[in-house]
Amino acid sequence: MRAAYWDDATSAVVDVSELPDGRHFVNRVFTPPSNRRRGGATAAMRATVEDADAESTTLQLYINPYGDMGYDDLASFYESNGFVSDDRGVFTREPSP
């Protein structure tokens, strides 16, 4: 997997790191405030999960709300991209076949 995925139209970025066990951790998803709600983060995340699926890689993340994005908004975004939360607040997305 690449270390970063982006959407050129909105400057949205998804930063990803490989963990020692082969899973990948989503460090950050960011879209400049003036470009939010235009689909950029969705496009960048779609590219991320497509690569993860192609490589049979599990993705994980923690939600860290900031700015005008609350926990529930972010949880909905990640859930719409196939992530599931556990009882510790870790969101995991297993690769699709």
Side-chain angles (χ1 to χ4, degrees):
M1 290 191 64
R2 295 180 294 181
Y5 297 81
W6 57 90
D7 175 68
D8 289 333
T10 62
S11 301
V13 65
V14 177
D15 292 327
V16 182
S17 297
E18 185 172 2
L19 300 172
D21 63 4
R23 293 173 296 143
H24 283 73
F25 191 81
V26 177
N27 299 306
R28 167 177 84 120
V29 177
F30 178 77
T31 305
S34 61
N35 290 336
R36 291 188 183 153
R37 308 270 184 220
R38 294 178 39 200
T42 299
M45 183 58 75
R46 185 177 316 119
T48 304
V49 299
E50 286 174 358
D51 274 7
D53 288 348
E55 297 180 22
S56 298
T57 299
T58 298
L59 296 171
Q60 287 192 312
L61 60 87
Y62 292 101
I63 291 180
N64 184 16
Y66 58 91
D68 61 346
M69 299 297 292
Y71 184 93
D72 292 340
D73 293 328
L74 294 168
S76 293
F77 172 74
Y78 294 120
E79 289 166 353
S80 73
N81 284 284
F83 287 83
V84 177
S85 178
D86 68 12
D87 59 350
R88 298 175 298 134
V90 178
F91 282 72
T92 301
R93 184 185 184 282
E94 298 293 342
S96 295

